[in-house]
Amino acid sequence: MGLEISSNTIKFYEKKGIQFFERFRAVNKHKNPVNVFMTEQNAIDTIKITDLKERELGSYQLIFQKEKASMEGKFLYADVPNENHGQLLTLSALIEFSKNRLNHFNLFSFKESIPYHARYGFLLDNDDPDYILNVLKQIIKSKLPHIETFQQDAKFFHTKIQNSTDQTKENQEILQNSCRVISDYLRYLSRRKMEKFAPDFEYASNVTFSDWEFETNRKYLNKLLKKHEIDYKF
């Protein structure tokens, strides 16, 4: 694949039983053209973004587990802040998720990046009751307008967790549902550019994305593809 054939239309090739996209062109936040392509870095499948002079702007390492219909994000790096290169890398990873018909996309997120991942539909994946209670409490105490529904849900699950002490299946479901409430709240804030009002997280955590999250966020994700002038539709 020569550098001169980059275009916004995405084509695919197969390797190791995985469908990978060929090099394509997109635009960043300021409509500057960039190249997006798959490569290998330290024997790990990696998405890279470069400018038209082939200077690297970001990369995202992915591990595919086709037998489990899943993939794992290992390391996302974006060189220039506020250029949406991180967003381009995430969208490109989701193109791989979509094309390979995967069911799960898991990754470990820095605590500061949890709201970022929630924007695209990722869910907090944590089973520490104290960790979750702390975040729910911040939602309950928030003074932001128009979040009454989130606060009502947060109060409900805060009480449920406080009254749950045993490690039962029901209590695990309570924690999972609490994580969904938190994730929905983070997504609401981040899509309105209100991340600065997001709760503080005590430590980094796993986040997860499933085929259901893909389906329910499809419209938003397609809007982002169009924004970056990528000729692909989820």
Side-chain angles (χ1 to χ4, degrees):
M1 292 174 289
L3 303 185
E4 71 278 0
I5 66 171
S6 291
S7 71
N8 299 56
T9 302
I10 298 183
K11 298 178 182 179
F12 294 85
Y13 64 96
E14 184 174 327
K15 182 180 178 183
K16 301 180 294 186
I18 304 293
Q19 294 288 325
F20 294 105
F21 54 73
E22 295 183 3
R23 176 186 291 260
F24 66 90
R25 189 161 291 171
V27 298
N28 64 15
K29 180 178 180 179
H30 299 292
K31 298 300 179 182
N32 296 318
V34 297
N35 292 317
V36 185
F37 56 95
M38 293 293 309
T39 185
E40 282 193 7
Q41 184 170 304
N42 300 322
I44 299 176
D45 295 311
T46 303
I47 301 170
K48 286 200 174 184
I49 295 179
T50 67
D51 63 17
L52 299 190
K53 294 183 179 179
E54 293 301 308
R55 291 178 295 200
E56 186 173 325
L57 303 173
S59 63
Y60 198 0
Q61 295 182 331
L62 303 173
I63 294 178
F64 292 88
Q65 296 178 300
K66 195 65 183 292
E67 68 282 1
K68 296 181 180 180
S70 69
M71 60 189 268
E72 181 181 356
K74 293 300 293 183
F75 181 72
L76 187 155
Y77 161 76
D79 183 35
V80 183
N82 303 318
E83 292 283 358
N84 282 168
H85 294 151
Q87 184 172 94
L88 265 172
L89 289 165
T90 298
L91 288 172
S92 300
L94 290 174
I95 289 173
E96 286 295 309
F97 179 90
S98 169
K99 183 64 177 179
N100 286 285
R101 300 174 181 266
L102 302 180
N103 295 331
H104 298 284
F105 183 5
N106 305 307
L107 59 95
F108 185 73
S109 173
F110 294 122
K111 62 180 183 178
E112 299 85 0
S113 300
I114 294 173
Y116 164 83
H117 292 295
R119 176 186 307 170
Y120 305 101
F122 283 83
L123 301 178
L124 181 68
D125 184 15
N126 195 295
D127 60 2
D128 179 350
D130 292 331
Y131 181 90
I132 296 171
L133 281 171
N134 177 55
V135 182
L136 291 175
K137 187 175 181 180
Q138 293 180 65
I139 297 174
I140 294 167
K141 289 187 172 183
S142 175
K143 301 299 183 182
L144 291 175
H146 313 304
I147 62 166
E148 292 81 7
T149 299
F150 297 113
Q151 290 178 314
Q152 181 180 355
D153 292 344
K155 288 177 183 177
F156 176 83
F157 285 107
H158 190 277
T159 301
K160 281 280 190 180
I161 295 173
Q162 283 188 317
N163 295 334
S164 305
T165 55
D166 299 328
Q167 290 291 328
T168 65
K169 181 178 179 181
E170 180 183 359
N171 290 343
Q172 285 300 112
E173 291 176 352
I174 290 171
L175 294 177
Q176 289 174 4
N177 288 330
S178 300
C179 284
R180 183 171 288 277
V181 169
I182 293 169
S183 302
D184 288 346
Y185 178 66
L186 295 175
R187 185 167 61 253
Y188 173 85
L189 294 181
S190 61
R191 290 188 182 179
R192 288 162 177 78
K193 299 181 179 180
M194 298 166 64
E195 295 96 331
K196 65 180 181 180
F197 299 111
D200 293 323
F201 291 86
E202 294 179 76
Y203 54 81
S205 176
N206 293 321
V207 296
T208 186
F209 183 93
S210 74
D211 48 355
W212 176 246
E213 275 69 56
F214 179 75
E215 188 63 36
T216 55
N217 290 279
R218 184 187 297 269
K219 183 177 180 180
Y220 176 74
L221 295 173
N222 279 327
K223 183 178 178 181
L224 294 181
L225 290 176
K226 186 175 181 180
K227 168 186 170 183
H228 290 288
E229 299 181 12
I230 299 172
D231 187 11
Y232 188 82
K233 191 170 184 179
F234 289 124

